[in-house]
Amino acid sequence: MTAVPPWDAFTATEAEVRAMVADPRWRGLSVPDRAHVLAARILVTPDGDRWLFGAHARWHLHDPADGRWHPAPPPRGTRVRRVTHAAAVLPGAVVPPGHDFHAEPGSTQSFVGPDVPERLTEQLRVLVRGCGRKSELDYPLSAFGEIFATDVPSTVAAVWGTIMWCAYAPAFDGNERLITVFGEYLRRSLPGDEWVRWLQAPPLLDLVTLVAERMRAGRPRAALRLAAVMADTAQILLLDTRFRPRALALLTMVEPLLRRPRFGDPYEDDAAMRREWLERCPARLSRALLVESDPGAHFSHTVYDLVDALSFTPEPRRAAAAFLADLSDSKGALPGRLDHRLRMAYEELRHAGLTGTSAAETTQPEGFPVRTSEAAPVFEVEPPDRGSAAAVLGAAYAMGLAWGRLTGAKLPERGLAGQSALVRKIVHERDDHHTGHM
């Protein structure tokens, strides 16, 4: 007989709100009316924290200091009581419009440990091989020049850029076949080492530039081919949930170009073309695009993912604070972006001199202080299995990339201290067959 999980107030309230938002009448309600319904379903834990299940189908924690609601995973299993909050003070940003509850589910796992599905890798290998046969004269490299040699056609860069943009956290096994298929085209060795390649997620603008440059050069057919390569790559990436949300979003942005008989006037400004691409994406995929549309909100959601991935620890927020402590924060902006419980855990580390602005650091040429990967992690994390380890590593790396996008801080090529320590625990689990992302 299957064991029945114990009743949990957070799970029950979440199901109740999901049912209300799914009701067709929800979209007919005004924002104040929706807020009133949600305000009657706020949960309060014994420590006085107020929790609301709202926008993006995520829990939000009320900060008593300034009244803000931060995305934050709840302490499931905790005894709570339901209270009525003043609906008038609920900001519209936490009230779900409805489409946000239909976001494509993804995975926070990195590509260290769980391999990319073999079928996906083989399809991309064939695509890259075909793209590599194009002439660099017809497809000059207008972006990703720091990655590829000058004689590499931009069709190859389009595949690479699509993979990296769609990946939730582009940290890969050093011997991951999906990366090694690009070996002959690379300008230099990728950042990282033989264990992990800590790769950068490019902005959407880099992909746009590849297409826009060919349009300005009077080569619309080449521009169309590059857009088709991106669409083909994104279609293949749908096989893995670590790529799927952004791959879907990219398809909705690029496919309209392929259906048009010809391009319009060339864009003088790549940013204008980027805005047009973003406007094509349906609202239900908006969270996948927060990395482009709202870097601050994107960072908050990656912090949510990190705390959630650490739910196996006795104190998830303390564990998350240890990963946050590795970030460079010379301007002291980080604490103000955290919920008050996570902020308290982070401040404890800061007062102990264990955060990125006061612990073992080196200064990069750009002047951003970062903790070296050789530094000892503040908090030892012991994931119960390889899936949990990959989820923590992915969420932590995505959080670091989001912070870099938001502030300009640079990440060390061999990863931050907490990430590198976790890698050392799981490197022996590489190269096994994994199908959990199909």
Side-chain angles (χ1 to χ4, degrees), residues 221 224 256-263:
R221 282 176 135 351
L224 193 65
L257 294 176
L258 306 179
R259 291 195 293 265
R260 292 167 62 180
R262 63 187 183 86
F263 288 103

Side-chain angles (χ1 to χ4, degrees), residues 42-44 48-52 59-72 85-86 89-91 94 338-341 343:
I42 287 175
L43 302 181
V44 179
D49 286 345
R50 296 193 167 217
W51 296 88
L52 165 73
W59 285 93
H60 295 72
L61 175 60
H62 182 253
D63 191 331
D66 57 17
R68 288 185 298 164
W69 291 86
H70 295 267
H85 195 82
V89 300
L90 282 184
V94 303
L338 307 177
D339 68 69
H340 65 288
R341 294 297 178 187
R343 186 165 62 244

Side-chain angles (χ1 to χ4, degrees), residues 249-267:
L250 187 60
L251 280 171
T252 65
M253 292 187 279
V254 172
E255 285 187 334
L257 294 176
L258 306 179
R259 291 195 293 265
R260 292 167 62 180
R262 63 187 183 86
F263 288 103
D265 295 332
Y267 291 85

Side-chain angles (χ1 to χ4, degrees), residues 189-206:
S189 297
L190 295 171
D193 52 32
E194 70 273 18
W195 301 115
V196 181
R197 298 298 183 184
W198 304 97
L199 304 179
Q200 291 296 309
L204 181 64
L205 187 63
D206 284 357

Side-chain angles (χ1 to χ4, degrees), residues 25-31 33-34 37:
R25 293 172 293 181
W26 179 262
R27 298 200 180 191
L29 297 176
S30 66
V31 173
D33 286 340
R34 293 176 189 168
V37 172

